[in-house]
């Protein structure tokens, strides 16, 4: 196929541009030319190439025609306006690229890409513009450093992927089936495999963060029916560990292929996986399923895709990711299989409703035959109050607690609910001139920092603030805890946001142990609790909690603090929103398959969807296979 491409390219590119070679590199077709300046002098060339090859095209100057980095830096500095606030210029010769990190990437690009074009024409280096987060993020700088350092390995890997995608199958696929390996009639260890006679694609590969049942901790990869090295692609919907937490394991045991996700999902999952591994390593009852180097391997094998981009991931499957409204970078996966023989939409976790941070989940697709939908709050009684009521309830609890001299403890996930709740407080405190300290413990600050590197993934209102360098996450009401928790526990009335969200471990327990006995304090639940989690038990009325104290002994902690449950902040759709999603998704699917929900909720929702919309609806169990076509 590359040979065909070469012929077409030669016909389009004038000889004076000096076409040298063409490579399939990951999702891109890379065309090398000796005279990139004369190439760009013909405005229509790129368009002509894209429409002739129907692929994403990258034009690169041959190594010999690029000027030396030192002279290039001079030109770059002269060309980019000072206001762009460039922080870093790094060369990546393997890809013929120069990475320019700036506070204002728009100014590096210039009107209609003018500034970029100037740099490319004068230096031969293709510019990769990267936004500097307004809050420093060690995850982002680590990810960028690793990708640059491992450029050679990454190039080899991408060339390999490119070749595989360009292959031709002997005969077209005659069937499509899907098997649930985890996350079916349960929340946790989400993992589905979509299979045809020619391709094998994994949708998510998570762990169960609830460690009380070890037999359900990981997806059932042993029943895959083929070896891990035979998987063609892994698609990751979002960074939460119940979707991403087991991907490094694949790399530890023979997988060598790509992981497709959005750029923020790549960064957030590395952050969460590193944290998870740290916790497992500290817990003597658990065996770590993989090592840091496997997380690193996954990073080198990640190919990012933006919302709405249509990409070929195997010779017969096209992938498009859409906004899921759940957390930063969360995506709905659309698979177009075998020339449209079948179209599958997998929602991942999604919010079809209002949040401060994201637009509601996408619902318009070119085609849908099967909808694989989450059902976390699909139960009969899972109807949440509206957001305004939830917000005023939360504010009331805070006011009452602070007035009586107490502290408010809110267990949260580092990614998602933390930022949502932060925005609620930031807005209310600013409007009403209130000054109560809000402490952030766990990785909340780091997760918020990653949000500031991807403003285009946030709702317009928040995006504007981040772009104007007035990110609400940086408000001075927030203080990141750096060790001294006793001071906060003994100090003035305050609000404490701490991980883990279901109280399965993490700093929240340190606060809980000391704040629980005092009835002036409050504990507020704002997110999902799995049925076996400590959070759920306290929610349900457990008032004496056995916890390990500082001497390593089990101690019973009396819960005298007020316990509240404030629903409505969830990043998941409630029952009404799930039903509205099925009703409104276009085109209308022929079949709905439900996942990511406790058994009774999934089965009840399946029954209701079938009755209301007359659509065949399944609620498979783990290990069930369904033939889709
Ligand atoms: Zn999630
Ligand atoms: Zn989930």
């Amino acid at each position: 196929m590359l040979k065909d491409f070469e012929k077409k390219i030669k016909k389009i590119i004038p000889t004076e541009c000096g076409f040298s070679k063409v490579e399939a590199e990951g999702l891109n077709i890379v065309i090398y030319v000796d005279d990139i300046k004369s190439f760009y002098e013909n405005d229509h060339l790129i368009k002509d190439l894209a429409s002739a090859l129907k692929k994403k095209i990258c034009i690169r100057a041959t190594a010999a025609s690029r000027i030396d980095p030192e002279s290039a830096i001079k030109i770059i500095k002269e060309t980019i306006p000072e206001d762009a606030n460039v922080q870093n210029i790094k060369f990546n010769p393997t890809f013929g690229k120069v990475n320019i990190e700036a506070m204002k990437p728009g100014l590096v690009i210039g009107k209609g890409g003018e500034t970029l074009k100037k740099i490319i024409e004068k230096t031969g280096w293709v510019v990769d513009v990267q936004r500097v987060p307004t809050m420093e993020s060690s995850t982002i700088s680590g990810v960028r450093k690793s990708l640059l350092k491992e450029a050679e390995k990454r190039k080899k890997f991408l060339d390999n992927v490119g070749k595989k995608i360009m292959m031709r199958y002997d005969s077209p696929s005659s069937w499509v089936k899907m098997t649930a390996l985890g996350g079916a009639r349960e929340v946790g260890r989400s993992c589905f495999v979509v299979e045809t006679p020619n391709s094998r694609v994994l949708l998510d590969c998570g762990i169960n963060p609830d460690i009380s049942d070890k037999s359900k901790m990981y997806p059932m990869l042993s029943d895959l029916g083929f070896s891990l090295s035979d998987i063609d692609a892994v698609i990751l919907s979002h960074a939460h560990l119940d979707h991403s937490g087991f991907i490094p394991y694949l790399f530890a045991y023979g997988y060598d292929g790509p992981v497709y996700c959005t750029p923020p999902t790549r960064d957030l999952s590395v952050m969460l996986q590193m944290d998870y591994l740290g916790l497992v390593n500290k817990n003597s009852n658990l065996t770590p399923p993989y090592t840091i180097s496997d997380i690193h391997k996954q990073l080198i094998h990640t190919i990012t895709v933006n919302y709405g981009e249509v990409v070929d991931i195997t010779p017969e499957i096209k992938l498009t990711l859409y906004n899921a409204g759940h957390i930063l970078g969360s995506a709905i996966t659309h698979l177009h299989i075998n020339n449209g023989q079948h179209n599958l939409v997998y929602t991942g976790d999604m919010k079809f409703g209002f949040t401060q941070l994201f637009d509601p989940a996408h619902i318009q697709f070119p085609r849908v035959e099967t909808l694989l939908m989450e059902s976390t709050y699909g139960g009969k009684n899972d109807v949440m109050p509206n957001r305004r009521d939830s917000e005023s309830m939360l504010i009331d609890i805070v006011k009452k607690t602070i007035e009586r001299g107490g502290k408010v403890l809110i267990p949260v996930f580092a990614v998602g609910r933390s930022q949502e709740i932060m925005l609620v407080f930031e807005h209310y405190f600013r409007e009403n001139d209130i000054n109560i300290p809000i402490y952030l413990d766990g990785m909340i600050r780091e997760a918020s920092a990653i949000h500031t590197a991807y403003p285009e993934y946030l709702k317009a209102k928040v995006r504007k603030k981040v772009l104007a360098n007035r990110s609400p996450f940086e408000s001075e009401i927030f203080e990141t805890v750096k060790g001294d928790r006793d001071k906060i526990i003994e100090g003035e009335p305050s609000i404490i946001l701490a991980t883990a969200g279901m109280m399965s471990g993490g700093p929240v327990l340190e606060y809980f142990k000391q704040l629980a006995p005092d009835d002036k304090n409050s504990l507020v639940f704002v997110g999902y609790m799995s049925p076996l989690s400590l959070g759920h038990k306290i929610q349900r009325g457990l008032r004496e909690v056995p916890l390990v104290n500082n001497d390593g002994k089990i101690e019973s902690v009396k819960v005298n603090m007020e316990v509240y449950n404030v629903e409505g902040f969830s990043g998941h759709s409630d029952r009404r929103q799930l039903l509205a999603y099925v009703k409104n998704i276009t085109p209308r699917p022929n079949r709905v398959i439900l996942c990511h929900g406790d058994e009774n909720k999934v089965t009840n929702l399946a029954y209701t969807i079938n009755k209301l919309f007359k659509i065949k609806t399944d609620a498979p169990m783990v290990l069930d296979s369904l033939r889709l076509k």
Side-chain angles (χ1 to χ4, degrees), residues 238 240 242-243 326 349:
H238 68 291
H240 280 151
D242 59 320
H243 301 258
H326 172 62
D349 291 358

Side-chain angles (χ1 to χ4, degrees), residues 46 52 89 92 116 127 129 142 157 160 167 204 215 227 230 247 289 296 377 391-392 443 450 455 466-467 477 527:
I46 273 275
I89 301 176
N92 187 346
L116 282 191
V127 182
V129 194
F157 153 71
N160 231 334
M167 257 170 36
D204 289 341
S215 71
S227 83
D230 289 335
I247 295 177
H296 193 253
Y377 290 106
E391 287 183 17
S392 49
M443 277 175 320
I450 297 176
V466 173
L467 287 174
I477 62 169

Side-chain angles (χ1 to χ4, degrees), residues 177 179-181 193 195 219-226 622-623 625:
K177 79 167 181 178
T179 307
L181 299 175
V193 52
E195 229 182 305
M220 306 285 281
L221 290 171
S222 51
D223 291 86
L224 202 55
F226 45 85
V622 173
L623 292 186
S625 279

Side-chain angles (χ1 to χ4, degrees), residues 477-534:
I477 62 169
F478 302 119
E479 198 174 311
T480 303
V481 180
K482 293 191 187 96
D484 201 357
R485 293 181 181 130
D486 287 341
K487 230 178 169 175
I488 298 165
I489 290 163
E490 284 152 22
E492 293 291 295
S494 61
I495 300 167
I496 303 157
L497 301 185
T499 57
M502 299 192 229
M503 299 183 74
S504 50
V508 69
L509 291 184
E510 302 301 315
Y511 295 99
F512 175 72
K513 264 185 242 174
Q514 299 201 53
L515 296 177
D518 188 342
D519 60 7
K520 286 207 292 286
N521 299 326
S522 299
L523 177 67
V524 188
F525 292 109
V526 291
Y528 173 79
M529 300 291 141
S530 88
L532 294 171
S533 63
L534 176 59

Side-chain angles (χ1 to χ4, degrees), residues 316-329:
E316 61 170 3
I317 299 181
K318 282 185 199 299
L319 159 74
T320 317
L321 300 178
Y322 295 94
N323 169 43
H326 172 62
I327 61 165
L328 183 72

